[in-house]
Short mmCIF file of all heavy atoms in Angstrom, two decimals:
data_model
loop_
_atom_site.label_atom_id
_atom_site.label_comp_id
_atom_site.label_asym_id
_atom_site.label_seq_id
_atom_site.Cartn_x
_atom_site.Cartn_y
_atom_site.Cartn_z
N MET A 1 21.96 -30.92 -23.65
CA MET A 1 22.05 -30.62 -22.22
C MET A 1 20.82 -29.88 -21.72
O MET A 1 20.42 -30.06 -20.61
CB MET A 1 23.32 -29.81 -21.92
CG MET A 1 24.61 -30.59 -22.12
SD MET A 1 24.74 -32.01 -21.09
CE MET A 1 25.04 -31.29 -19.50
N LEU A 2 20.26 -29.03 -22.57
CA LEU A 2 19.05 -28.29 -22.17
C LEU A 2 17.90 -29.27 -21.91
O LEU A 2 17.12 -29.08 -20.98
CB LEU A 2 18.64 -27.29 -23.25
CG LEU A 2 17.40 -26.48 -22.98
CD1 LEU A 2 17.57 -25.65 -21.69
CD2 LEU A 2 17.07 -25.55 -24.13
N ILE A 3 17.85 -30.34 -22.69
CA ILE A 3 16.79 -31.35 -22.49
C ILE A 3 16.98 -32.03 -21.13
O ILE A 3 16.00 -32.29 -20.43
CB ILE A 3 16.77 -32.35 -23.64
CG1 ILE A 3 16.34 -31.63 -24.92
CG2 ILE A 3 15.87 -33.52 -23.35
CD1 ILE A 3 16.36 -32.46 -26.16
N LEU A 4 18.19 -32.27 -20.74
CA LEU A 4 18.45 -32.88 -19.41
C LEU A 4 18.04 -31.91 -18.29
O LEU A 4 17.47 -32.35 -17.29
CB LEU A 4 19.94 -33.26 -19.27
CG LEU A 4 20.39 -34.46 -20.05
CD1 LEU A 4 21.91 -34.64 -19.87
CD2 LEU A 4 19.66 -35.68 -19.59
N LEU A 5 18.33 -30.65 -18.47
CA LEU A 5 17.92 -29.65 -17.46
C LEU A 5 16.42 -29.62 -17.34
O LEU A 5 15.86 -29.66 -16.26
CB LEU A 5 18.46 -28.27 -17.83
CG LEU A 5 17.97 -27.11 -16.97
CD1 LEU A 5 18.48 -27.27 -15.55
CD2 LEU A 5 18.42 -25.80 -17.56
N LEU A 6 15.71 -29.55 -18.48
CA LEU A 6 14.25 -29.50 -18.46
C LEU A 6 13.67 -30.80 -17.89
O LEU A 6 12.68 -30.77 -17.14
CB LEU A 6 13.71 -29.26 -19.86
CG LEU A 6 14.05 -27.89 -20.44
CD1 LEU A 6 13.57 -27.82 -21.89
CD2 LEU A 6 13.44 -26.77 -19.62
N ALA A 7 14.30 -31.91 -18.20
CA ALA A 7 13.83 -33.21 -17.65
C ALA A 7 13.98 -33.24 -16.15
O ALA A 7 13.11 -33.72 -15.41
CB ALA A 7 14.59 -34.37 -18.30
N GLY A 8 15.12 -32.71 -15.64
CA GLY A 8 15.31 -32.68 -14.20
C GLY A 8 14.33 -31.78 -13.50
O GLY A 8 13.78 -32.11 -12.45
N LEU A 9 14.06 -30.63 -14.11
CA LEU A 9 13.08 -29.70 -13.53
C LEU A 9 11.70 -30.32 -13.51
O LEU A 9 10.93 -30.22 -12.54
CB LEU A 9 13.09 -28.38 -14.29
CG LEU A 9 14.36 -27.55 -14.16
CD1 LEU A 9 14.36 -26.42 -15.17
CD2 LEU A 9 14.51 -27.00 -12.76
N PHE A 10 11.35 -30.99 -14.60
CA PHE A 10 10.05 -31.65 -14.69
C PHE A 10 9.95 -32.80 -13.68
O PHE A 10 8.93 -33.00 -13.06
CB PHE A 10 9.83 -32.15 -16.12
CG PHE A 10 8.45 -32.66 -16.38
CD1 PHE A 10 7.38 -31.80 -16.39
CD2 PHE A 10 8.23 -34.00 -16.61
CE1 PHE A 10 6.09 -32.25 -16.60
CE2 PHE A 10 6.93 -34.48 -16.82
CZ PHE A 10 5.87 -33.60 -16.84
N LEU A 11 11.03 -33.51 -13.49
CA LEU A 11 11.06 -34.62 -12.50
C LEU A 11 10.81 -34.09 -11.09
O LEU A 11 10.09 -34.69 -10.28
CB LEU A 11 12.37 -35.35 -12.56
CG LEU A 11 12.53 -36.55 -11.64
CD1 LEU A 11 11.56 -37.64 -12.02
CD2 LEU A 11 13.96 -37.07 -11.71
N ILE A 12 11.42 -32.96 -10.77
CA ILE A 12 11.19 -32.36 -9.45
C ILE A 12 9.70 -32.04 -9.28
O ILE A 12 9.13 -32.32 -8.22
CB ILE A 12 12.04 -31.11 -9.29
CG1 ILE A 12 13.51 -31.48 -9.19
CG2 ILE A 12 11.61 -30.30 -8.07
CD1 ILE A 12 14.46 -30.30 -9.25
N MET A 13 9.07 -31.47 -10.31
CA MET A 13 7.67 -31.17 -10.21
C MET A 13 6.82 -32.43 -10.06
O MET A 13 5.90 -32.48 -9.27
CB MET A 13 7.21 -30.37 -11.44
CG MET A 13 5.75 -29.94 -11.31
SD MET A 13 5.11 -29.05 -12.70
CE MET A 13 5.27 -30.20 -14.03
N LEU A 14 7.17 -33.47 -10.81
CA LEU A 14 6.42 -34.72 -10.74
C LEU A 14 6.57 -35.41 -9.36
O LEU A 14 5.67 -36.16 -8.95
CB LEU A 14 6.85 -35.69 -11.83
CG LEU A 14 6.37 -35.36 -13.22
CD1 LEU A 14 6.90 -36.40 -14.21
CD2 LEU A 14 4.87 -35.34 -13.30
N MET A 15 7.63 -35.16 -8.68
CA MET A 15 7.85 -35.78 -7.37
C MET A 15 7.07 -35.05 -6.27
O MET A 15 6.61 -35.65 -5.33
CB MET A 15 9.34 -35.80 -7.02
CG MET A 15 10.11 -36.79 -7.84
SD MET A 15 11.90 -36.79 -7.58
CE MET A 15 12.15 -36.31 -5.95
N GLU A 16 6.91 -33.73 -6.39
CA GLU A 16 6.31 -32.95 -5.32
C GLU A 16 4.81 -32.63 -5.51
O GLU A 16 4.04 -32.70 -4.57
CB GLU A 16 7.07 -31.61 -5.17
CG GLU A 16 8.48 -31.78 -4.66
CD GLU A 16 8.51 -32.34 -3.25
OE1 GLU A 16 7.64 -32.03 -2.44
OE2 GLU A 16 9.44 -33.13 -2.97
N ALA A 17 4.43 -32.31 -6.72
CA ALA A 17 3.07 -31.84 -6.96
C ALA A 17 1.98 -32.89 -6.66
O ALA A 17 0.97 -32.52 -6.03
CB ALA A 17 2.92 -31.33 -8.38
N PRO A 18 2.12 -34.13 -7.03
CA PRO A 18 1.07 -35.11 -6.74
C PRO A 18 0.78 -35.26 -5.23
O PRO A 18 -0.37 -35.39 -4.84
CB PRO A 18 1.57 -36.40 -7.34
CG PRO A 18 2.50 -36.00 -8.42
CD PRO A 18 3.15 -34.75 -7.88
N ARG A 19 1.82 -35.23 -4.42
CA ARG A 19 1.61 -35.36 -2.98
C ARG A 19 0.83 -34.20 -2.45
O ARG A 19 -0.07 -34.36 -1.62
CB ARG A 19 2.98 -35.45 -2.26
CG ARG A 19 2.87 -35.59 -0.78
CD ARG A 19 4.23 -35.70 -0.14
NE ARG A 19 5.10 -34.58 -0.43
CZ ARG A 19 5.12 -33.44 0.25
NH1 ARG A 19 4.30 -33.24 1.26
NH2 ARG A 19 5.92 -32.45 -0.09
N LEU A 20 1.13 -33.03 -2.95
CA LEU A 20 0.38 -31.83 -2.51
C LEU A 20 -1.07 -31.89 -2.98
O LEU A 20 -2.00 -31.48 -2.28
CB LEU A 20 1.07 -30.55 -3.00
CG LEU A 20 2.47 -30.30 -2.42
CD1 LEU A 20 3.12 -29.11 -3.14
CD2 LEU A 20 2.42 -30.06 -0.96
N LEU A 21 -1.27 -32.38 -4.18
CA LEU A 21 -2.64 -32.54 -4.70
C LEU A 21 -3.44 -33.56 -3.89
O LEU A 21 -4.62 -33.33 -3.56
CB LEU A 21 -2.64 -32.94 -6.17
CG LEU A 21 -2.33 -31.86 -7.17
CD1 LEU A 21 -2.10 -32.43 -8.54
CD2 LEU A 21 -3.46 -30.87 -7.21
N LEU A 22 -2.84 -34.70 -3.63
CA LEU A 22 -3.55 -35.75 -2.89
C LEU A 22 -3.93 -35.33 -1.48
O LEU A 22 -4.98 -35.71 -0.95
CB LEU A 22 -2.71 -37.05 -2.85
CG LEU A 22 -2.56 -37.78 -4.16
CD1 LEU A 22 -1.61 -38.94 -4.00
CD2 LEU A 22 -3.91 -38.25 -4.66
N ASN A 23 -3.07 -34.56 -0.84
CA ASN A 23 -3.34 -34.07 0.51
C ASN A 23 -4.13 -32.78 0.53
O ASN A 23 -4.37 -32.21 1.59
CB ASN A 23 -2.03 -33.88 1.27
CG ASN A 23 -1.33 -35.18 1.52
OD1 ASN A 23 -1.97 -36.22 1.66
ND2 ASN A 23 0.00 -35.15 1.59
N LYS A 24 -4.55 -32.32 -0.65
CA LYS A 24 -5.36 -31.10 -0.81
C LYS A 24 -4.70 -29.90 -0.13
O LYS A 24 -5.34 -29.11 0.55
CB LYS A 24 -6.77 -31.32 -0.27
CG LYS A 24 -7.52 -32.37 -1.05
CD LYS A 24 -8.91 -32.55 -0.55
CE LYS A 24 -9.58 -33.67 -1.37
NZ LYS A 24 -10.93 -33.92 -0.89
N MET A 25 -3.40 -29.80 -0.32
CA MET A 25 -2.63 -28.67 0.20
C MET A 25 -2.54 -27.61 -0.89
O MET A 25 -1.47 -27.44 -1.52
CB MET A 25 -1.25 -29.17 0.67
CG MET A 25 -1.31 -30.27 1.71
SD MET A 25 0.27 -31.01 2.07
CE MET A 25 0.97 -29.80 3.13
N TRP A 26 -3.62 -26.90 -1.11
CA TRP A 26 -3.74 -25.99 -2.24
C TRP A 26 -2.80 -24.80 -2.13
O TRP A 26 -2.16 -24.43 -3.14
CB TRP A 26 -5.17 -25.50 -2.41
CG TRP A 26 -6.16 -26.64 -2.47
CD1 TRP A 26 -7.17 -26.90 -1.59
CD2 TRP A 26 -6.20 -27.70 -3.44
NE1 TRP A 26 -7.83 -28.03 -1.97
CE2 TRP A 26 -7.29 -28.54 -3.08
CE3 TRP A 26 -5.44 -28.00 -4.55
CZ2 TRP A 26 -7.61 -29.67 -3.82
CZ3 TRP A 26 -5.79 -29.14 -5.28
CH2 TRP A 26 -6.84 -29.95 -4.92
N LYS A 27 -2.68 -24.18 -0.97
CA LYS A 27 -1.82 -23.03 -0.83
C LYS A 27 -0.36 -23.42 -1.03
O LYS A 27 0.40 -22.72 -1.68
CB LYS A 27 -2.01 -22.39 0.56
CG LYS A 27 -3.36 -21.77 0.74
CD LYS A 27 -3.51 -21.22 2.15
CE LYS A 27 -4.93 -20.74 2.39
NZ LYS A 27 -5.14 -20.31 3.77
N GLU A 28 0.02 -24.55 -0.47
CA GLU A 28 1.38 -25.01 -0.63
C GLU A 28 1.70 -25.36 -2.09
O GLU A 28 2.79 -25.11 -2.54
CB GLU A 28 1.64 -26.25 0.27
CG GLU A 28 1.67 -25.95 1.75
CD GLU A 28 0.29 -25.93 2.38
OE1 GLU A 28 -0.73 -26.01 1.65
OE2 GLU A 28 0.21 -25.77 3.62
N LEU A 29 0.70 -25.90 -2.77
CA LEU A 29 0.88 -26.24 -4.19
C LEU A 29 1.09 -24.97 -5.01
O LEU A 29 1.97 -24.92 -5.88
CB LEU A 29 -0.31 -27.02 -4.70
CG LEU A 29 -0.30 -27.40 -6.19
CD1 LEU A 29 0.87 -28.37 -6.46
CD2 LEU A 29 -1.65 -28.00 -6.61
N ILE A 30 0.31 -23.94 -4.73
CA ILE A 30 0.46 -22.66 -5.46
C ILE A 30 1.83 -22.06 -5.23
O ILE A 30 2.50 -21.63 -6.17
CB ILE A 30 -0.67 -21.72 -5.07
CG1 ILE A 30 -2.00 -22.24 -5.62
CG2 ILE A 30 -0.41 -20.32 -5.60
CD1 ILE A 30 -3.23 -21.49 -5.09
N VAL A 31 2.26 -22.05 -3.97
CA VAL A 31 3.59 -21.51 -3.65
C VAL A 31 4.70 -22.32 -4.29
O VAL A 31 5.62 -21.78 -4.88
CB VAL A 31 3.78 -21.40 -2.12
CG1 VAL A 31 5.21 -21.08 -1.76
CG2 VAL A 31 2.83 -20.41 -1.50
N PHE A 32 4.58 -23.66 -4.21
CA PHE A 32 5.56 -24.53 -4.83
C PHE A 32 5.67 -24.29 -6.32
O PHE A 32 6.74 -24.14 -6.88
CB PHE A 32 5.23 -26.00 -4.57
CG PHE A 32 6.04 -26.94 -5.40
CD1 PHE A 32 7.39 -27.14 -5.12
CD2 PHE A 32 5.50 -27.59 -6.50
CE1 PHE A 32 8.15 -28.00 -5.88
CE2 PHE A 32 6.27 -28.43 -7.27
CZ PHE A 32 7.60 -28.62 -6.98
N LEU A 33 4.53 -24.23 -6.99
CA LEU A 33 4.51 -24.04 -8.44
C LEU A 33 5.07 -22.67 -8.84
O LEU A 33 5.77 -22.54 -9.85
CB LEU A 33 3.13 -24.25 -9.03
CG LEU A 33 2.62 -25.70 -9.01
CD1 LEU A 33 1.21 -25.78 -9.52
CD2 LEU A 33 3.55 -26.63 -9.80
N GLY A 34 4.77 -21.65 -8.03
CA GLY A 34 5.30 -20.32 -8.31
C GLY A 34 6.80 -20.29 -8.16
O GLY A 34 7.50 -19.76 -9.02
N LEU A 35 7.31 -20.84 -7.06
CA LEU A 35 8.77 -20.84 -6.85
C LEU A 35 9.47 -21.76 -7.88
O LEU A 35 10.57 -21.46 -8.35
CB LEU A 35 9.11 -21.31 -5.43
CG LEU A 35 8.72 -20.36 -4.33
CD1 LEU A 35 8.95 -20.99 -2.97
CD2 LEU A 35 9.50 -19.04 -4.47
N TRP A 36 8.80 -22.88 -8.24
CA TRP A 36 9.36 -23.78 -9.24
C TRP A 36 9.42 -23.08 -10.59
O TRP A 36 10.44 -23.23 -11.31
CB TRP A 36 8.48 -25.03 -9.32
CG TRP A 36 8.94 -25.99 -10.35
CD1 TRP A 36 9.91 -26.95 -10.21
CD2 TRP A 36 8.48 -26.09 -11.71
NE1 TRP A 36 10.05 -27.64 -11.40
CE2 TRP A 36 9.18 -27.16 -12.30
CE3 TRP A 36 7.51 -25.42 -12.44
CZ2 TRP A 36 8.96 -27.51 -13.64
CZ3 TRP A 36 7.28 -25.78 -13.76
CH2 TRP A 36 7.99 -26.82 -14.33
N ALA A 37 8.43 -22.29 -10.93
CA ALA A 37 8.42 -21.57 -12.21
C ALA A 37 9.54 -20.53 -12.25
O ALA A 37 10.23 -20.39 -13.27
CB ALA A 37 7.07 -20.91 -12.46
N ILE A 38 9.72 -19.81 -11.17
CA ILE A 38 10.78 -18.78 -11.09
C ILE A 38 12.16 -19.45 -11.21
O ILE A 38 13.01 -19.04 -11.99
CB ILE A 38 10.67 -17.97 -9.79
CG1 ILE A 38 9.40 -17.09 -9.85
CG2 ILE A 38 11.93 -17.14 -9.59
CD1 ILE A 38 9.07 -16.47 -8.50
N ALA A 39 12.37 -20.53 -10.41
CA ALA A 39 13.64 -21.21 -10.44
C ALA A 39 13.91 -21.83 -11.81
O ALA A 39 15.06 -21.79 -12.31
CB ALA A 39 13.68 -22.29 -9.36
N SER A 40 12.88 -22.40 -12.43
CA SER A 40 13.06 -23.00 -13.75
C SER A 40 13.43 -21.96 -14.80
O SER A 40 14.29 -22.17 -15.61
CB SER A 40 11.78 -23.73 -14.16
OG SER A 40 11.49 -24.75 -13.27
N SER A 41 12.74 -20.83 -14.72
CA SER A 41 13.04 -19.73 -15.69
C SER A 41 14.47 -19.24 -15.50
O SER A 41 15.17 -19.03 -16.50
CB SER A 41 12.06 -18.58 -15.45
OG SER A 41 10.75 -18.99 -15.64
N LEU A 42 14.91 -19.06 -14.28
CA LEU A 42 16.28 -18.59 -14.04
C LEU A 42 17.30 -19.63 -14.49
O LEU A 42 18.35 -19.27 -15.04
CB LEU A 42 16.46 -18.23 -12.57
CG LEU A 42 15.75 -16.98 -12.09
CD1 LEU A 42 15.88 -16.84 -10.56
CD2 LEU A 42 16.26 -15.76 -12.78
N ALA A 43 17.00 -20.90 -14.25
CA ALA A 43 17.93 -21.97 -14.64
C ALA A 43 18.08 -22.02 -16.16
O ALA A 43 19.20 -22.12 -16.66
CB ALA A 43 17.46 -23.30 -14.09
N VAL A 44 16.97 -21.92 -16.86
CA VAL A 44 17.03 -21.98 -18.31
C VAL A 44 17.70 -20.74 -18.87
O VAL A 44 18.51 -20.79 -19.81
CB VAL A 44 15.60 -22.15 -18.93
CG1 VAL A 44 15.61 -21.96 -20.42
CG2 VAL A 44 15.05 -23.51 -18.56
N ALA A 45 17.41 -19.56 -18.29
CA ALA A 45 18.02 -18.33 -18.74
C ALA A 45 19.54 -18.37 -18.55
O ALA A 45 20.30 -17.96 -19.44
CB ALA A 45 17.47 -17.11 -17.97
N GLN A 46 19.99 -18.89 -17.42
CA GLN A 46 21.42 -19.00 -17.19
C GLN A 46 22.04 -19.99 -18.16
O GLN A 46 23.13 -19.79 -18.66
CB GLN A 46 21.71 -19.38 -15.76
CG GLN A 46 23.18 -19.35 -15.41
CD GLN A 46 23.44 -19.60 -13.95
OE1 GLN A 46 22.59 -20.07 -13.23
NE2 GLN A 46 24.63 -19.29 -13.51
N PHE A 47 21.34 -21.09 -18.40
CA PHE A 47 21.87 -22.13 -19.30
C PHE A 47 22.05 -21.60 -20.71
O PHE A 47 23.04 -21.93 -21.37
CB PHE A 47 20.91 -23.32 -19.30
CG PHE A 47 21.42 -24.44 -20.17
CD1 PHE A 47 22.35 -25.34 -19.69
CD2 PHE A 47 20.96 -24.59 -21.47
CE1 PHE A 47 22.83 -26.36 -20.47
CE2 PHE A 47 21.42 -25.60 -22.26
CZ PHE A 47 22.35 -26.48 -21.77
N ILE A 48 21.11 -20.79 -21.21
CA ILE A 48 21.26 -20.29 -22.59
C ILE A 48 22.15 -19.09 -22.69
O ILE A 48 22.35 -18.58 -23.77
CB ILE A 48 19.87 -20.03 -23.22
CG1 ILE A 48 19.10 -18.95 -22.49
CG2 ILE A 48 19.06 -21.30 -23.35
CD1 ILE A 48 17.78 -18.56 -23.13
N GLY A 49 22.65 -18.60 -21.56
CA GLY A 49 23.69 -17.57 -21.62
C GLY A 49 23.24 -16.17 -21.34
O GLY A 49 23.97 -15.22 -21.63
N ILE A 50 22.06 -16.00 -20.79
CA ILE A 50 21.59 -14.65 -20.47
C ILE A 50 22.28 -14.22 -19.17
O ILE A 50 22.31 -14.97 -18.21
CB ILE A 50 20.07 -14.62 -20.28
CG1 ILE A 50 19.41 -14.95 -21.63
CG2 ILE A 50 19.59 -13.29 -19.74
CD1 ILE A 50 17.89 -15.11 -21.53
N ASP A 51 22.84 -13.01 -19.16
CA ASP A 51 23.49 -12.49 -17.97
C ASP A 51 22.41 -12.08 -16.94
O ASP A 51 21.58 -11.23 -17.22
CB ASP A 51 24.38 -11.28 -18.31
CG ASP A 51 25.61 -11.70 -19.06
OD1 ASP A 51 26.07 -12.83 -18.83
OD2 ASP A 51 26.10 -10.90 -19.83
N LEU A 52 22.47 -12.73 -15.79
CA LEU A 52 21.53 -12.43 -14.74
C LEU A 52 22.21 -11.50 -13.70
O LEU A 52 23.39 -11.65 -13.43
CB LEU A 52 21.08 -13.71 -14.05
CG LEU A 52 20.36 -14.72 -14.97
CD1 LEU A 52 20.14 -16.01 -14.23
CD2 LEU A 52 19.08 -14.15 -15.46
N PRO A 53 21.45 -10.56 -13.13
CA PRO A 53 22.05 -9.69 -12.11
C PRO A 53 22.40 -10.47 -10.84
O PRO A 53 21.73 -11.44 -10.49
CB PRO A 53 20.95 -8.65 -11.86
CG PRO A 53 19.70 -9.32 -12.28
CD PRO A 53 20.04 -10.25 -13.35
N ASN A 54 23.46 -10.03 -10.22
CA ASN A 54 23.90 -10.64 -8.99
C ASN A 54 23.13 -10.03 -7.82
O ASN A 54 23.22 -8.81 -7.61
CB ASN A 54 25.42 -10.43 -8.83
CG ASN A 54 25.99 -11.17 -7.65
OD1 ASN A 54 25.26 -11.72 -6.83
ND2 ASN A 54 27.27 -11.22 -7.61
N PRO A 55 22.38 -10.80 -7.04
CA PRO A 55 21.64 -10.24 -5.94
C PRO A 55 22.50 -9.62 -4.85
O PRO A 55 22.07 -8.73 -4.11
CB PRO A 55 20.82 -11.41 -5.37
CG PRO A 55 21.20 -12.62 -6.11
CD PRO A 55 22.16 -12.23 -7.21
N THR A 56 23.73 -10.05 -4.76
CA THR A 56 24.64 -9.49 -3.75
C THR A 56 24.94 -8.01 -4.05
O THR A 56 25.08 -7.21 -3.14
CB THR A 56 25.95 -10.29 -3.71
OG1 THR A 56 25.63 -11.65 -3.50
CG2 THR A 56 26.87 -9.83 -2.62
N ASP A 57 25.01 -7.65 -5.33
CA ASP A 57 25.24 -6.26 -5.69
C ASP A 57 24.10 -5.37 -5.19
O ASP A 57 24.32 -4.26 -4.69
CB ASP A 57 25.40 -6.12 -7.21
CG ASP A 57 26.64 -6.78 -7.71
OD1 ASP A 57 27.58 -7.00 -6.92
OD2 ASP A 57 26.65 -7.11 -8.92
N LEU A 58 22.87 -5.83 -5.30
CA LEU A 58 21.72 -5.10 -4.82
C LEU A 58 21.77 -4.96 -3.30
O LEU A 58 21.55 -3.85 -2.76
CB LEU A 58 20.41 -5.78 -5.23
CG LEU A 58 19.14 -5.15 -4.69
CD1 LEU A 58 18.97 -3.74 -5.26
CD2 LEU A 58 17.95 -6.02 -5.00
N LEU A 59 22.09 -6.03 -2.59
CA LEU A 59 22.18 -5.97 -1.14
C LEU A 59 23.30 -5.03 -0.69
O LEU A 59 23.15 -4.26 0.28
CB LEU A 59 22.42 -7.36 -0.57
CG LEU A 59 21.23 -8.31 -0.68
CD1 LEU A 59 21.61 -9.70 -0.20
CD2 LEU A 59 20.04 -7.80 0.08
N ASN A 60 24.43 -5.05 -1.39
CA ASN A 60 25.53 -4.14 -1.05
C ASN A 60 25.12 -2.67 -1.26
O ASN A 60 25.48 -1.81 -0.48
CB ASN A 60 26.78 -4.46 -1.89
CG ASN A 60 27.46 -5.68 -1.38
OD1 ASN A 60 27.34 -6.10 -0.22
ND2 ASN A 60 28.23 -6.31 -2.24
N ALA A 61 24.36 -2.44 -2.31
CA ALA A 61 23.91 -1.06 -2.59
C ALA A 61 22.95 -0.59 -1.52
O ALA A 61 22.94 0.60 -1.16
CB ALA A 61 23.26 -1.00 -3.97
N ILE A 62 22.17 -1.48 -0.95
CA ILE A 62 21.17 -1.08 0.07
C ILE A 62 21.82 -0.91 1.42
O ILE A 62 21.60 0.07 2.08
CB ILE A 62 20.04 -2.15 0.15
CG1 ILE A 62 19.24 -2.14 -1.15
CG2 ILE A 62 19.14 -1.90 1.34
CD1 ILE A 62 18.23 -3.28 -1.26
N PHE A 63 22.64 -1.88 1.81
CA PHE A 63 23.14 -1.89 3.19
C PHE A 63 24.49 -1.25 3.39
O PHE A 63 24.83 -0.91 4.52
CB PHE A 63 23.17 -3.34 3.74
CG PHE A 63 21.79 -3.90 3.87
CD1 PHE A 63 21.37 -4.97 3.08
CD2 PHE A 63 20.91 -3.40 4.81
CE1 PHE A 63 20.11 -5.50 3.21
CE2 PHE A 63 19.64 -3.93 4.93
CZ PHE A 63 19.24 -4.98 4.15
N LEU A 64 25.28 -1.14 2.36
CA LEU A 64 26.59 -0.51 2.52
C LEU A 64 26.58 0.89 1.94
O LEU A 64 26.18 1.11 0.80
CB LEU A 64 27.68 -1.35 1.79
CG LEU A 64 27.85 -2.77 2.34
CD1 LEU A 64 28.90 -3.51 1.51
CD2 LEU A 64 28.32 -2.76 3.79
N PRO A 65 26.99 1.87 2.71
CA PRO A 65 26.96 3.27 2.25
C PRO A 65 27.93 3.54 1.13
O PRO A 65 28.83 2.98 0.82
CB PRO A 65 27.29 4.09 3.47
CG PRO A 65 27.80 3.16 4.50
CD PRO A 65 27.47 1.78 4.06
#
């Protein structure tokens, strides 16, 4: 199943990155690859069973007294 996850993530990159390269959209490519790397890391970490913090808990701590 991990191979399917990695294949799906790689497919997403293969669909988006070439278009950005051909159109010379360098800033968009950098942002895309950065967000893709973060999302991929989080997806793999969750898949292998690492407990990730819930962002809602952080927001509740900030905004709710």
Side-chain angles (χ1 to χ4, degrees):
M1 291 300 287
L2 180 60
I3 293 176
L4 287 175
L5 174 65
L6 294 174
L9 293 168
F10 189 68
L11 181 65
I12 291 170
M13 184 181 61
L14 285 179
M15 289 174 31
E16 292 297 324
R19 181 179 56 86
L20 295 172
L21 282 170
L22 289 175
N23 293 330
K24 297 181 181 179
M25 302 172 79
W26 307 118
K27 293 177 187 175
E28 290 84 354
L29 179 64
I30 291 170
V31 170
F32 169 74
L33 290 176
L35 291 174
W36 179 84
I38 292 169
S40 298
S41 300
L42 290 173
V44 170
Q46 186 174 16
F47 182 82
I48 62 175
I50 295 174
D51 288 331
L52 300 173
N54 187 349
T56 306
D57 295 337
L58 176 64
L59 291 174
N60 285 337
I62 293 171
F63 293 114
L64 298 177

